[in-house]
Amino acid sequence: MRLATAFAMTLAAMPVAADPVVVELFTSQGCSSCPPADALLGELAERDDVIALSLHVDYWDWIGWTDTFATAGYTARQRAYAQAAGTSVVYTPQFVIAGTDQVAGPSAMELVSRISAHQGTTDDVLKAVTTGSGGTAIQADAGGVPARLVLAELLPKATVQIGRGENAGREVTYHNVVRDWTILADWDGSPTVMDLPEPADGHYRVVLAQSMADGAPGRVIGAVKLD
């Protein structure tokens, strides 16, 4: 049975939880091991109880293909997760679940297990609200825990024809590609409302509330899809 098919069947058997679990995939167009993980993230992107994020790193670019979605900022985020885990090693593909658990490679069953373990653990602290001018704002209720509020702008789907590098000649489809990452505020946990910019055409937005420790990201305490 194909990995993606088995993963889809397992996902279908998972109960749907009310609070979304944030799953980040650190990936690269230049990494030959990444397409199966990219496909798994596509399956997760279909679920209402998961916020799936594809973050493309730039350290594969030297092989001969410059990833069209990569930024140094996403590489830095992955390295910060490694720092939080007490290591300097980063690799692709790598999933990070809820800001705390890390899964190497397209390990479908382990990924499902980690997601299931985090269902229902995200706090209901973020809500999308409409402003008086008809725009969108984020309402952060009292969370009791300081956190960083982040706005991520996503491209829902994109297919790339890769010309060089380890995936030369392959056409790969990516889902929920993070195209912009904006720190809104370092939130003290008290109730607040912040206006948000409109997304670029064809993109949509999510907001995360994530605990921080010594500059490194930690547990995602809240998350909401806005579009």
Side-chain angles (χ1 to χ4, degrees):
M1 183 181 294
R2 293 176 59 247
L3 178 62
T5 302
F7 184 65
M9 292 174 62
T10 305
L11 282 176
M14 289 172 57
V16 176
D19 299 323
V21 178
V22 175
V23 177
E24 300 171 65
L25 171 62
F26 293 94
T27 185
S28 172
Q29 294 170 9
C31 160
S32 62
S33 301
C34 287
D38 297 318
L40 296 186
L41 193 82
E43 298 285 350
L44 289 173
E46 298 297 319
R47 290 185 65 91
D48 291 334
D49 58 340
V50 173
I51 292 179
L53 305 176
S54 179
L55 297 110
H56 287 236
V57 298
D58 63 358
Y59 50 80
W60 282 92
D61 291 358
W62 68 273
I63 286 182
W65 177 255
T66 299
D67 190 307
T68 57
F69 301 133
T71 76
Y74 305 150
T75 299
R77 181 168 175 81
Q78 187 185 23
R79 293 192 185 282
Y81 273 129
Q83 173 191 331
T87 181
S88 61
V89 178
V90 295
Y91 44 85
T92 54
Q94 181 187 40
F95 291 94
V96 177
I97 301 94
T100 57
D101 290 355
Q102 300 180 13
V103 174
S107 306
M109 297 304 104
E110 184 179 3
L111 182 57
V112 167
S113 175
R114 299 292 181 91
I115 293 170
S116 295
H118 283 281
Q119 286 184 327
T121 64
T122 305
D123 299 331
D124 186 20
V125 297
L126 300 178
K127 295 181 178 66
V129 295
T130 302
T131 66
S133 61
T136 303
I138 192 72
Q139 176 180 312
D141 296 329
V145 178
R148 176 162 290 174
L149 300 181
V150 176
L151 172 67
E153 191 167 306
L154 314 182
L155 181 63
K157 186 176 181 180
T159 299
V160 178
Q161 184 70 45
I162 300 171
R164 295 183 300 279
E166 289 191 356
N167 288 320
R170 297 187 68 169
E171 185 178 84
V172 182
T173 298
Y174 300 96
H175 302 266
N176 287 8
V177 180
V178 180
R179 302 299 291 137
D180 191 64
W181 187 270
T182 302
I183 297 173
L184 297 173
D186 285 324
W187 178 46
D188 64 5
S190 61
T192 188
V193 176
M194 286 176 285
D195 291 340
L196 299 176
E198 291 298 315
D201 288 345
H203 291 194
Y204 71 94
R205 300 161 298 174
V206 302
V207 174
L208 312 179
Q210 185 167 31
S211 62
M212 303 291 293
D214 297 324
R219 184 174 78 91
V220 176
I221 66 171
V224 63
K225 301 177 184 179
L226 302 181
D227 304 293

